[in-house]
Amino acid sequence: MKKYDVILPAAGSGKRMGAGHNKLFLELSQKPILIHTLEVFEQDSACKGIWLAVKPEERAFIQSLLVKYNITKVKALPNGGAERQNSVYSCVQKIEDGEIVLVHDAARPFITIPVIHKLVEAAEEKGAVIAGVRAKDTMKKVENGVIVETVDRSSLWMIQTPQAFQFELLQEAEQAAEREHFLGTDEAMLVERLGQTVYIVESSYENVKITTKEDLIFGEAILSQRIGG
């Protein structure tokens, strides 16, 4: 398996959390969410570099966290943009010797190394893959408050990160989107615009994104279970 780089957009505002500051600084078990996420990649010998897009005004504080928690693999902290896509592109421009590159939500601290490695291996073979889990709930299509269709959930997946790509493919997709002023919902969408097939790797339902205050409760429960297990 090839070694990989990982991009973490970390310049969000966390408005839905209502914390008044970057939600990545909120703590789970007395440690910032951002550090929990970084430690997964720090501990993975296959990860050769972390690229962290940040707000300029938060850079010094994040650098102090890296020192405090001995995070050594961060290669650069370029300025994040107004949108996630801008932050990812800012990091892509800094990577010079990329082969396989992952893009991961910094607010998903429960990703596991086995899933990461499945993604890297699949991206090496197929070019573009994303993590996801099968939809568990009944899905309805709704228009103007009215149910118009019950959708067959057997073909529906809930998409997560990491998303993994051969570097040149991601670079081409990001450059095309920038050139054409196109804003996508995720990196896979940008790659799809190039006519590239994107494959899926099954992840875990524990790989949640910490977005709301309720998610902090789930996060503490996951950590407690993992420590206890």
Side-chain angles (χ1 to χ4, degrees), residues 5-8 51-53 76 78-79 84-98 101-103 165-175 187 190:
D5 292 278
V6 61
I7 292 170
L8 296 176
W51 307 81
L52 196 59
N79 291 344
R84 166 201 170 94
Q85 181 175 313
N86 306 131
S87 294
V88 172
Y89 185 50
S90 182
C91 291
V92 166
Q93 291 175 294
K94 294 288 185 181
I95 299 175
E96 295 181 349
D97 58 348
V101 177
L102 275 56
V103 181
F165 309 93
Q166 293 175 8
F167 176 67
E168 290 182 357
L169 178 59
L170 177 61
Q171 185 181 48
E172 181 184 356
E174 291 282 346
Q175 289 173 343
E187 289 67 48
L190 304 188

Side-chain angles (χ1 to χ4, degrees), residues 34-229:
L34 176 61
I35 296 301
H36 282 287
T37 305
L38 287 169
E39 284 182 338
V40 177
F41 297 100
E42 180 73 23
Q43 294 163 8
D44 183 8
S45 60
C47 177
K48 64 178 183 177
I50 302 169
W51 307 81
L52 196 59
V54 303
K55 293 179 180 177
E57 63 270 26
E58 294 175 348
R59 181 175 287 107
F61 178 66
I62 290 175
Q63 286 174 323
S64 72
L65 290 178
L66 300 181
V67 172
K68 178 179 179 180
Y69 292 97
N70 196 29
I71 304 297
T72 64
K73 289 186 179 179
V74 173
K75 302 298 184 184
L77 294 91
N79 291 344
E83 302 288 344
R84 166 201 170 94
Q85 181 175 313
N86 306 131
S87 294
V88 172
Y89 185 50
S90 182
C91 291
V92 166
Q93 291 175 294
K94 294 288 185 181
I95 299 175
E96 295 181 349
D97 58 348
E99 294 182 277
I100 301 297
V101 177
L102 275 56
V103 181
H104 185 57
D105 297 324
R108 288 188 192 270
F110 303 116
I111 186 61
T112 64
I113 290 176
V115 171
I116 291 169
H117 288 184
K118 284 196 296 183
L119 286 159
V120 172
E121 290 170 355
E124 187 177 349
E125 176 187 351
K126 298 176 178 177
V129 296
I130 61 178
V133 290
R134 299 174 190 272
K136 294 190 290 185
D137 298 327
T138 297
M139 308 298 286
K140 305 281 187 180
K141 183 178 180 181
V142 179
E143 294 178 0
N144 298 319
V146 177
I147 295 170
V148 296
E149 181 184 355
T150 298
V151 183
D152 180 8
R153 71 181 177 198
S154 66
S155 63
L156 298 179
W157 290 66
M158 297 181 290
I159 300 309
Q160 304 175 346
T161 65
Q163 301 193 352
F165 309 93
Q166 293 175 8
F167 176 67
E168 290 182 357
L169 178 59
L170 177 61
Q171 185 181 48
E172 181 184 356
E174 291 282 346
Q175 289 173 343
E178 180 76 10
R179 185 170 60 248
E180 297 158 20
H181 305 290
F182 177 83
L183 185 63
T185 55
D186 64 0
E187 289 67 48
M189 186 176 185
L190 304 188
V191 169
E192 289 165 22
R193 292 181 72 240
L194 301 179
Q196 173 76 29
T197 300
V198 179
Y199 296 85
I200 195 156
V201 164
E202 192 156 10
S203 179
S204 163
Y205 292 101
E206 285 190 357
N207 185 25
V208 295
K209 186 177 182 181
I210 307 297
T211 303
T212 66
K213 292 178 180 178
E214 291 78 11
D215 295 330
L216 290 171
I217 298 172
F218 300 148
E220 292 285 2
I222 292 169
L223 282 175
S224 177
Q225 188 273 334
R226 288 187 175 184
I227 294 170

